[in-house]
Amino acid sequence: MFGGDTLYELRCSLQLAETEREGGFSPHISPFTAVNDLGHLLGRAGFNTLTVDTDEIQVNYPGMFELMEDLKGMGESNCSWNRKPLLHRDTMLAAAAVYREMYRNEDGSVPATYQIYHMIGWKYHDSQARPAERGSATVSFGDLAKLSDVMPEGKKQ
């Protein structure tokens, strides 16, 4: 699943350009999930022993418009209900200039960052052994140091 920082370069560039050109901005990048929300959702679904790992992949594009064409080809159009249906041409050109100016690589390409979450969780089955309850131990790890005092000399290995 894509994480909350996915496409932050594009999101920031569009917001800056639209605010400057049109006096405010509308979401043009679909909202993505925060990592702590995933843990809460998995926990509420009854999973335990949760693990959420994060990877970041950066893909370089010749420019913002090539990135947007690639997103369209992947079927990753914006799904927000509260967005404006279109952006003006001058706003798009300003966003491309902001993107290039703020994030350009040395070779002239622009990066697009994809944050990817990998989640795993388990549900215990009745047939599985369960871990002991916290605090139910009968021996302390601190007592292990005293074990050599208690054991007979011939049994030590």
Side-chain angles (χ1 to χ4, degrees), residues 16 21 45 53 68 77-78 87 97 99 111 131 145:
L16 286 172
R21 297 292 170 136
D53 289 329
M68 293 176 77
S77 298
N78 187 356
L87 277 170
Y99 201 133

Side-chain angles (χ1 to χ4, degrees), residues 68-111:
M68 293 176 77
E69 187 67 28
D70 202 19
L71 292 171
K72 182 180 175 183
M74 291 189 288
E76 290 295 331
S77 298
N78 187 356
C79 66
S80 297
W81 290 98
N82 59 343
R83 67 181 172 95
K84 292 190 323 189
L86 60 99
L87 277 170
H88 296 105
R89 177 175 291 152
D90 63 327
T91 302
M92 291 292 288
L93 293 172
V98 168
Y99 201 133
R100 188 175 46 255
E101 193 60 36
M102 288 180 63
Y103 301 107
R104 178 181 52 224
N105 295 319
E106 289 181 12
D107 64 356
S109 64
V110 294

Side-chain angles (χ1 to χ4, degrees), residues 1-151:
M1 162 180 283
F2 286 131
D5 288 338
T6 296
L7 299 173
Y8 73 87
E9 303 97 343
L10 179 61
R11 182 181 297 119
C12 183
S13 300
L14 288 169
Q15 287 175 357
L16 286 172
E18 192 172 14
T19 300
E20 187 249 333
R21 297 292 170 136
E22 300 179 29
F25 67 88
S26 175
H28 294 286
I29 307 293
S30 294
F32 297 109
T33 307
V35 71
N36 56 345
D37 292 338
L38 289 177
H40 295 302
L41 288 172
L42 288 169
R44 289 190 63 189
F47 290 96
N48 48 34
T49 319
L50 305 174
T51 302
V52 179
D53 289 329
T54 303
D55 283 329
E56 276 194 7
I57 298 172
Q58 198 171 70
V59 179
N60 294 318
Y61 290 90
M64 185 186 85
F65 296 111
E66 289 82 2
L67 164 61
M68 293 176 77
E69 187 67 28
D70 202 19
L71 292 171
K72 182 180 175 183
M74 291 189 288
E76 290 295 331
S77 298
N78 187 356
C79 66
S80 297
W81 290 98
N82 59 343
R83 67 181 172 95
K84 292 190 323 189
L86 60 99
L87 277 170
H88 296 105
R89 177 175 291 152
D90 63 327
T91 302
M92 291 292 288
L93 293 172
V98 168
Y99 201 133
R100 188 175 46 255
E101 193 60 36
M102 288 180 63
Y103 301 107
R104 178 181 52 224
N105 295 319
E106 289 181 12
D107 64 356
S109 64
V110 294
T113 303
Y114 296 90
Q115 185 180 42
I116 301 171
Y117 294 146
H118 307 275
M119 304 156 285
I120 191 167
W122 288 270
K123 285 188 178 183
Y124 287 109
H125 189 267
D126 293 336
S127 65
Q128 290 177 299
R130 293 186 181 255
E133 292 292 320
R134 188 175 188 100
S136 64
T138 57
V139 178
S140 169
F141 278 119
D143 293 339
L144 290 177
K146 302 173 191 171
L147 191 60
S148 61
D149 298 340
V150 180
M151 287 186 69

